[in-house]
Amino acid sequence: MRSGSQGVGKAEVRLKWDPSPWNQPPHHLDIIAATYAADAPYGRPVYVVHFDSRSPDGTINMSRHSQTGQGFGYVEAMTLEFGRLASSLVRVVVGVAIHQDSGPKTFGDISNAGVLVVEGYEELLKDDFAQVAGASATTVAEFTRTTSSAWEFHEMVRGFNCDPVVFAAEMGNAS
């Protein structure tokens, strides 16, 4: 857990992976964020943000997206502005899913994959998905609102074996 007296104000989740070999279909990974209301913090998401969507109020959005992993360093990024999130939201779960369009793939099949969560220049989480190598999706971070309305960061690396649509619906479950 990490939070100061002000809590997390604005965070960025960055994702990297190497492109697939030239004769193989591209690896396509996505950052996904799901928001949860005070009356159901482990229930259905209020809304989900991913590569072709953003939050209704613009507080969570993709600032960079890749469908192939091509580029230098972190090729996909999502920005989360907690100070502007609706007061009815108390939890945000962020994860990464691998598209399964060209056959089953797990994190163990993707070379040089990694995620970085930062607030400004402070690194909150850096992970290479080794502990979820057999999974096709994983949560990476949970942000929760305290009773004083500050946001706290919690590392939450937990693997799933499902496609991105099912993952988005299940990623915030309590188990």
Side-chain angles (χ1 to χ4, degrees):
M1 182 179 87
R2 182 260 177 221
S3 70
S5 60
Q6 300 292 320
V8 178
K10 182 177 181 179
E12 185 175 71
V13 179
R14 300 173 187 161
L15 181 62
K16 69 175 184 167
W17 70 97
D18 284 347
S20 60
W22 70 271
N23 59 346
Q24 299 293 316
H27 302 312
H28 184 187
L29 284 67
D30 274 322
I31 302 170
I32 301 172
T35 60
Y36 299 89
D39 62 348
Y42 296 92
R44 293 177 47 105
V46 175
Y47 58 82
V48 176
V49 178
H50 49 81
F51 74 95
D52 68 353
S53 69
R54 68 179 201 126
S55 62
D57 57 6
T59 56
I60 303 174
N61 64 72
M62 297 293 297
S63 56
R64 199 167 43 236
H65 176 66
S66 174
Q67 294 186 12
T68 64
Q70 291 178 316
F72 296 106
Y74 292 92
V75 295
E76 187 157 315
M78 177 181 279
T79 303
L80 302 101
E81 296 181 63
F82 294 102
R84 294 182 42 228
L85 276 174
S87 60
S88 60
L89 300 175
V90 298
R91 185 169 175 250
V92 178
V93 176
V94 180
V96 175
I98 303 169
H99 287 264
Q100 303 295 312
D101 301 336
S102 59
K105 289 184 185 133
T106 65
F107 288 103
D109 299 324
I110 313 289
S111 60
N112 198 32
V115 65
L116 178 65
V117 180
V118 296
E119 181 185 19
Y121 294 106
E122 183 180 354
E123 187 177 290
L124 303 177
L125 168 74
K126 187 173 188 175
D127 191 84
D128 64 2
F129 303 117
Q131 63 185 323
V132 291
S136 59
T138 183
T139 55
V140 293
E142 174 188 53
F143 297 90
T144 55
R145 191 188 301 261
T146 67
T147 54
S148 65
S149 293
W151 283 89
E152 294 179 336
F153 165 80
H154 308 270
E155 182 177 324
M156 191 170 122
V157 179
R158 188 177 81 193
F160 291 75
N161 284 307
C162 53
D163 69 30
V165 173
V166 173
F167 174 63
E170 295 180 356
M171 63 192 278
N173 292 350
S175 57

